[in-house]
Amino acid sequence: MPIIYTIPEIRKYVKAWKEEGLSIGFVPTMGFLHEGHKSLIERAVKENDRVIVSDFVNPTQFGPKEDLKTYPRDLDRDSQLCEQAGASLLFCPSPEEMYSEDYTTYVNMEQLSEELCGKSRPNHFRGVCTVVTKLFHIVTPHCAYFGKKDAQQLAIIQRMVRDLNFDIKIVGCPIIREEDGLAKSSRNTYLNPHERKAALVLSQALNLGKQHLLQGETSSNVLIDAMTRQIEQEPLAKIDYINIVDASSMQLIETVNRPVLCAMAVYIGKTRLIDNFFWPE
Ligand code: AMP
């Protein structure tokens, strides 16, 4: 499986495939791939003739105090995983290949990026929308695959594709978890053994929220309070946010009387982890 570093080179592959009438699936990632990414690639392989995976730690979506410099990387392992999953090629551009020194154009989404991660990470979704737009123009896929692990990102990309008329089908894929319930994430590698245990509190709190919903609770405040109390029992955990938003507009709601997203970001030690569920599931 080829690893491609430049935009002109990947365009050659895409052009040749399109001339043969082949369909192209695309899985954008930041690398350090795990079973979550693999599930996206395998789904793309099932549904397309060729699959391109991108591996790019996008600097414009990191804040100045975030983990851009320490974000884990392992291109050899990533390329093995891609090959095993059936990908056709791995696109791995440098920051300089993607952003010229005098780069000035950004894609900004209003409303959907105001709450949740958008609130705690200013400019994060501006960076995401910008890089995904660029990657979509470079790869020109028929379908692109995103995980529900990053639920707000998925909603934003779906809206962006609609608003900006990209001719690309966006496919949302289920969250892949460790056996004990922790959502798989490249950032789990930052956790020491104590923190790894403590990190279980995210999925446990979400399950508690689900139980209350199943029992008929519809007040966002009551649900959020119950999940907050559960997380506060874990000394290594510090809540960034727990919120319930409309599943489409990503705006806060008081009563669960329509499809919603319940999402949280929690620091375990210095590591910020996110998890969520859509309701109804
Ligand atoms: P990242 O490399 O973290 O930017 O993620 C790349 C893509 O993989 C995004 O669409 C994520 O939502 C998705 N992803 C990451 N972790 C998981 C997971 N545990 N389950 C499903 N999809 C995931």
Side-chain angles (χ1 to χ4, degrees), residues 183-203:
K184 297 218 181 213
S185 163
S186 308
R187 290 190 169 99
N188 291 349
T189 185
Y190 296 144
L191 303 170
N192 69 31
H194 291 299
E195 292 169 340
R196 170 64 184 78
K197 261 196 205 146
L200 266 188
V201 77
L202 281 87
S203 55

Side-chain angles (χ1 to χ4, degrees), residues 12-160:
K12 270 191 218 155
Y13 277 90
V14 170
K15 187 162 178 279
W17 288 338
K18 288 207 167 167
E19 279 168 3
E20 286 181 62
L22 301 175
S23 64
I24 298 176
F26 177 43
V27 183
T29 83
M30 297 208 301
F32 211 71
L33 304 181
H34 51 65
E35 296 289 321
H37 300 109
K38 197 172 178 197
S39 72
L40 268 52
I41 301 169
E42 287 172 344
R43 172 99 180 254
V45 167
K46 260 194 211 138
E47 297 178 359
N48 300 272
D49 299 316
R50 295 288 182 273
V51 170
I52 297 176
V53 179
S54 68
D55 197 333
F56 180 59
V57 183
N58 172 39
T60 63
Q61 71 190 66
F62 285 79
K65 290 185 184 149
E66 293 181 352
D67 57 345
L68 173 63
K69 284 217 174 89
T70 55
Y71 197 83
R73 295 160 211 245
D74 189 340
L75 185 57
D76 286 346
R77 236 188 74 220
D78 286 355
S79 79
Q80 278 173 29
L81 184 143
C82 286
E83 191 155 14
Q84 274 169 15
S88 317
L89 66 78
L90 180 57
F91 178 48
C92 196
S94 65
E96 297 73 32
E97 183 71 9
M98 291 294 281
Y99 296 104
S100 55
E101 239 173 69
D102 56 353
Y103 190 88
T104 46
T105 308
Y106 294 91
V107 180
N108 205 22
M109 179 157 306
E110 300 179 350
Q111 201 191 72
L112 276 78
S113 59
E114 283 167 4
E115 302 294 339
L116 311 177
C117 287
K119 194 168 226 165
S120 16
R121 303 183 70 187
N123 284 333
H124 171 66
F125 287 116
R126 182 179 90 136
V128 169
C129 287
T130 301
V131 80
V132 171
T133 295
K134 287 169 67 65
L135 290 167
F136 281 177
H137 285 312
I138 294 164
V139 174
T140 62
H142 298 92
C143 299
Y145 296 78
F146 291 85
K148 291 183 182 168
K149 163 86 187 336
D150 299 271
Q152 188 179 17
Q153 169 174 282
L154 172 61
I156 285 175
I157 299 297
Q158 275 165 335
R159 181 66 65 91
M160 182 180 85

